[in-house]
Amino acid sequence: MTTTNDLFEEDLDLPDSTAQHRYAALVGLDHIKDRLMKEAELILQPKLLEDWSVRSHGTVLPALRWVAARPPLIIFAGDVGTGKTTLAETFADAIARRHGIDVRVKRLSLRARGSGAVGEMTRLIGTAFDVVLREARAAGPRQPFVLVIDEADALAQSREAAQMHHEDRAGVNALIRGISQIAVEQLGILVVMCTNRADALDPALRRRAAAEFDFARPNDAQRAAVFATIFDGIGLTASQIAELVALTGPTERGYGHTYSDLVDRILAAACLAAYPDRPLTAGLITEQIRANPPTRPFAERG
Ligand SMILES: Nc1ncnc2c1ncn2[C@@H]1O[C@H](COP(=O)(O)OP(=O)(O)OP(=O)(O)O)[C@@H](O)[C@H]1O
Ligand SMILES: [Mg+2]
């Protein structure tokens, strides 16, 4: 049976240099990072919006009540290996640094789904939110929290799905209750849900989200930026990079390499192929690209 101790992965306390590096290493997500920063900052530090209102209007505008009443939920949706988990776990590092505050990231474990015993998932999710609420109340407004619910479709499947068990529906209700409770208490807790399939998430949850961000595989320019970054220092020419970009794009397969294919697989494979007595070259990287085809998109899996 799942106990309270098993409900979370290890906390991440930010700022933290590892988080800073993981965040900075994300390529091609600047458009998401920019908007996410604003959304997240105002949920984690509601006072910033009040300060702006007073600066610009000489008073706290009534409009702020509606902004503040939005459920503190952000959804990251999209293809495999595109940086959802990494961004969810690290973006608050930038906020912590900018405002000189501590932010604690709590990550709900997949074990919170329980073993399927009647009422168990509801109880576990309810307990998880209780734990976060209790910690946030004790910490006060200077220490906001991010609650990351990864692989959220496992917990928050559409209640409309015909095959869904009663138990799963109750779990979704427990999630909605928890998020509402956070909004009511205005505790500076932001819930981030990551999923490969936004359309499998419960519509009632999606409707409540303050923002939903879509993550996709890297396009040509983004793959060029990845290659320039990860193979910095080996002297690749512009035309060699262009060849690597063409090799990793959507060919007759219809889909190209993911960020994680490039950063985690091809980079490592190329280094290991060169080690111990050869330099890294465009030729070696090309061999490894051919040997490591792109991960299939989530939607195409059987
Ligand atoms: N935008 C990116 N820029 C650079 N590297 C990336 C990017 N996205 C992912 N990666 C690399 O891929 C690895 C996996 O990323 P991550 O786990 O965040 O992806 P994900 O979207 O959560 O994937 P999944 O849907 O499979 O859970 C990271 O460790 C990182 O090295
Ligand atoms: Mg992930």
Side-chain angles (χ1 to χ4, degrees):
M1 186 166 140
T2 312
T3 66
T4 309
N5 283 343
D6 294 334
L7 276 179
F8 298 97
E9 310 290 340
E10 201 184 325
D11 288 346
L12 304 173
D13 283 310
L14 309 176
D16 167 80
S17 60
T18 307
Q20 186 180 29
H21 289 132
R22 289 175 73 206
Y23 178 78
L26 290 171
V27 173
L29 298 184
D30 290 349
H31 59 297
I32 293 182
K33 284 180 175 179
D34 286 349
R35 226 190 102 207
L36 173 65
M37 273 311 128
K38 267 196 188 178
E39 291 278 2
E41 210 167 62
L42 296 181
I43 292 171
L44 294 173
Q45 296 275 272
K47 183 132 187 345
L48 294 170
L49 200 58
E50 283 181 20
D51 293 347
W52 157 81
S53 177
V54 170
R55 259 196 331 273
S56 308
H57 297 277
T59 179
V60 177
L61 293 174
L64 267 51
R65 260 185 262 136
W66 282 277
V67 179
R70 294 184 313 163
L73 170 66
I74 287 180
I75 294 174
F76 288 179
D79 211 340
V80 291
T82 49
K84 298 180 298 297
T85 301
T86 309
L87 187 63
E89 293 181 349
T90 63
F91 72 88
D93 183 81
I95 294 178
R97 284 172 202 277
R98 187 180 310 169
H99 298 291
I101 54 174
D102 294 328
V103 181
R104 172 163 292 175
V105 179
K106 297 196 74 80
R107 298 174 292 171
L108 191 66
S109 164
L110 273 184
R111 291 182 294 268
R113 199 170 186 200
S115 55
V118 174
E120 191 185 9
M121 185 154 92
T122 308
R123 183 180 59 76
L124 290 170
I125 293 174
T127 308
F129 273 94
D130 285 346
V131 169
V132 177
L133 284 162
R134 200 163 53 232
E135 281 188 38
R137 285 184 201 117
R142 291 288 299 160
Q143 187 186 20
F145 284 66
V146 175
L147 172 60
V148 179
I149 304 182
D150 212 348
E151 320 277 339
D153 36 298
L155 278 172
Q157 263 174 42
S158 174
R159 286 179 294 185
E160 287 166 2
Q163 75 279 23
M164 195 173 199
H165 302 302
H166 171 72
E167 174 58 9
D168 290 342
R169 273 197 291 277
V172 171
N173 289 335
L175 270 173
I176 291 177
R177 256 198 318 277
I179 291 166
S180 305
Q181 186 60 29
I182 291 174
V184 167
E185 294 195 39
Q186 306 245 329
L187 284 168
I189 304 171
L190 170 57
V191 180
V192 180
M193 289 191 166
C194 305
T195 179
N196 294 121
R197 304 174 301 156
D199 52 1
L201 284 187
D202 190 85
L205 265 172
R206 278 183 90 183
R207 260 199 317 276
R208 283 170 167 77
E212 184 174 314
F213 295 97
D214 293 318
F215 291 64
R217 288 177 193 229
N219 61 24
D220 290 0
Q222 289 161 341
R223 290 196 311 286
V226 170
F227 286 124
T229 307
I230 65 178
F231 293 120
D232 185 28
I234 70 171
L236 291 180
T237 64
S239 75
Q240 285 174 325
I241 289 189
E243 273 170 44
L244 299 179
V245 165
L247 274 174
T248 48
T251 51
E252 64 283 359
R253 272 188 216 103
Y255 53 87
H257 286 73
T258 68
Y259 285 104
S260 110
D261 290 337
L262 303 179
V263 176
D264 294 338
R265 287 169 54 210
I266 289 166
L267 168 65
C271 287
L272 289 179
Y275 175 85
D277 46 22
R278 287 192 291 174
L280 261 180
T281 58
L284 261 185
I285 299 166
T286 300
E287 273 173 35
Q288 296 312 317
I289 290 172
R290 294 194 197 287
N292 290 278
T295 307
R296 282 167 54 183
F298 193 86
E300 296 194 8
R301 293 188 192 173

